[in-house]
Amino acid sequence: MDLKNLTIAIVGGGYGGLAAAKALTVAGANVTVYEQASEIKEVGAGIGLRPSSLAQFRAWGELEAITSVSNASESFQILTAEGHPIAEEIWPEVDAHGVTTHLIHRGDFIEALFATLPKSMVKLGHRLEKIADNGPSATLSFADGRSETYDLVVAADGIKSVIREQLFTDSQPVFAGEHAYRVVVEDADLLSLVADGKLRMYIGRGTKVYLLPLLSRGQVSFDITALDVDGTWAPEVDLDYILKTVEGFDPRIVDATRRLDLAAVNKRAVYDIDPVERWSTDSVVLLGDAAHAMCHHQGQGANSAILDAGALAGALVAAASVPEALEAYVAERKPVTDELQRISRQGWSEDEVNDVFPGQKPNSGRQEG
């Protein structure tokens, strides 16, 4: 199919939406990205980009843009809370060019990707209120009263997707029974724990601490994920509350937690979504977190969105029509992400949960948010 004859809108300017914009632009499509924020700015922590994702950027001619603001990582190590090694997994994927997993700050990733797109392509300050599926086209209606119709709309509007809720399912995000406290720090103690570039996870009583080295920045992405019964989307907790979650951990982790600037910490309850039965109509398709938001334990959210983008562009180029392309894209990506969602939901055992919250069964607190 000649993509030059299609008008395509992408709703959402996060990593999924921008990756889709890049993939479709390289394939020759006429793309417009709508983002509700007034600026492209990604806060939060670090992410790991697998070779399969980096291969997409190589194909799009932008590998150096990503690797120049990231660092290679050899492996993922799991340790006890006190720092005794439990297991180590060498990153299994290395592409034909010898590129291995790279670790990158979300903000650097978004900025690097955004910089590769024509600035006129991304329309900021556009909050979607309604989508109408017209069959061979779809109409977007925004909060400022404007409406636009496209041959194809790609919903990359995240875990709280307006498009998913209006066209595909009204089921809401599901609380995973955990909080995540994330911050990027220049802490000498934490840097000493990951100076070799390895991603490390420390496991304690109801708590996992992830240390993701951002060596290109001289920083560490510090993530404390702890069991909690409060499903408030952005919970209000103080530093003493967070400190209790790391009791008994390596003293360097405890001390680094004590030194945190609470105002800089991103505090969120952990949510995912149930697998979505249907991802597409003849003119609308889900991508990234809108299609398959998953818990962060496997580190597959960003990678899945990037692979979605590549698969969608490839399917559109290969197919004779948009509906045929969307069917092929869903057939390729949905079984993979359904399994990743399932694996990412595997958390603490019943005994471990009961140790922290007596009488509460694993994930019995799962609730919609």
Side-chain angles (χ1 to χ4, degrees):
M1 181 168 37
D2 185 357
L3 301 195
K4 294 184 178 66
N5 297 324
L6 291 178
T7 56
I8 301 177
I10 298 171
V11 179
Y15 42 69
L18 295 182
K22 186 64 187 181
L24 291 167
T25 300
V26 169
N30 173 21
V31 180
T32 302
V33 180
Y34 292 104
E35 166 57 39
Q36 67 177 352
S38 59
E39 61 178 331
I40 293 290
K41 183 179 180 181
E42 182 76 10
V43 298
I47 55 176
L49 296 177
R50 307 295 174 87
S52 54
S53 295
L54 293 170
Q56 296 291 331
F57 289 101
R58 183 188 299 281
W60 302 334
E62 302 296 347
L63 179 62
E64 186 177 354
I66 302 301
T67 57
S68 65
V69 290
S70 60
N71 53 270
S73 182
E74 175 186 328
S75 64
F76 171 46
Q77 189 174 35
I78 303 173
L79 307 96
T80 66
E82 299 84 1
H84 303 300
I86 298 173
E88 183 167 0
E89 178 186 358
I90 305 298
W91 295 119
E93 298 179 65
V94 176
D95 75 5
H97 302 274
V99 176
T100 186
T101 293
H102 275 60
L103 308 180
I104 190 170
H105 187 281
R106 288 175 185 265
D108 293 341
F109 178 55
I110 290 292
E111 288 177 11
L113 189 50
F114 182 53
T116 71
L117 300 172
K119 296 300 179 286
S120 60
M121 179 183 294
V122 182
K123 310 297 183 184
L124 302 175
H126 283 67
R127 183 168 63 84
L128 181 68
E129 287 196 336
K130 184 179 179 182
I131 182 168
D133 184 349
N134 311 317
S137 67
T139 301
L140 302 172
S141 298
F142 299 95
D144 62 4
R146 283 180 288 182
S147 295
E148 300 287 349
T149 298
Y150 292 88
D151 298 319
L152 172 62
V153 170
V154 180
D157 51 342
I159 189 172
K160 292 186 174 183
S161 171
V162 171
I163 295 174
R164 185 186 68 238
E165 182 173 358
Q166 291 188 8
L167 293 186
F168 297 98
T169 176
D170 60 3
S171 64
Q172 298 298 304
V174 180
F175 178 45
E178 294 176 308
H179 285 182
Y181 311 118
R182 300 183 177 118
V183 65
V184 174
V185 295
E186 296 178 9
D187 189 284
D189 283 348
L190 295 185
L191 276 167
S192 71
L193 293 172
V194 291
D196 56 5
K198 296 179 181 180
L199 170 63
R200 286 183 167 85
M201 178 178 71
Y202 295 74
I203 301 178
R205 179 178 175 269
T207 299
K208 301 172 183 175
V209 172
Y210 299 86
L211 300 181
L212 186 148
L214 299 169
L215 301 184
S216 61
R217 285 169 154 245
Q219 295 177 325
V220 178
S221 178
F222 185 23
D223 179 311
I224 300 169
T225 298
L227 288 170
D228 208 289
V229 295
D230 178 13
T232 304
W233 191 268
E236 293 289 338
V237 299
D238 59 25
L239 190 56
D240 285 340
Y241 191 88
I242 297 176
L243 271 167
K244 289 178 182 176
T245 68
V246 294
E247 287 180 355
F249 276 73
D250 185 305
R252 290 167 291 187
I253 291 175
V254 176
D255 290 343
T257 304
R258 188 175 291 111
R259 291 191 292 268
L260 288 177
D261 174 6
L262 191 63
V265 178
N266 182 274
K267 303 175 284 292
R268 289 289 183 270
V270 177
Y271 279 80
D272 66 0
I273 61 173
D274 290 325
V276 179
E277 181 178 348
R278 185 170 61 101
W279 283 17
S280 67
T281 68
D282 285 351
S283 57
V284 182
V285 67
L286 301 177
L287 181 144
D289 282 354
H292 47 67
M294 58 191 73
C295 296
H296 62 283
H297 307 304
Q298 299 297 317
Q300 288 288 355
N303 290 282
S304 294
I306 295 164
L307 296 180
D308 286 353
L312 177 61
L316 285 164
V317 169
S321 67
V322 170
E324 179 185 324
L326 300 187
E327 183 178 347
Y329 157 73
V330 175
E332 177 181 347
R333 294 297 301 150
K334 184 171 171 18
V336 176
T337 58
D338 280 355
E339 179 63 9
L340 285 173
Q341 283 183 291
R342 185 191 67 79
I343 293 171
S344 297
R345 276 188 169 180
Q346 293 176 359
W348 303 96
S349 69
E350 183 171 347
D351 286 343
E352 288 169 320
V353 174
N354 191 62
D355 185 40
V356 179
F357 298 109
Q360 178 177 310
K361 294 185 181 296
N363 293 333
S364 65
R366 295 187 74 87
Q367 57 186 277
E368 296 180 353

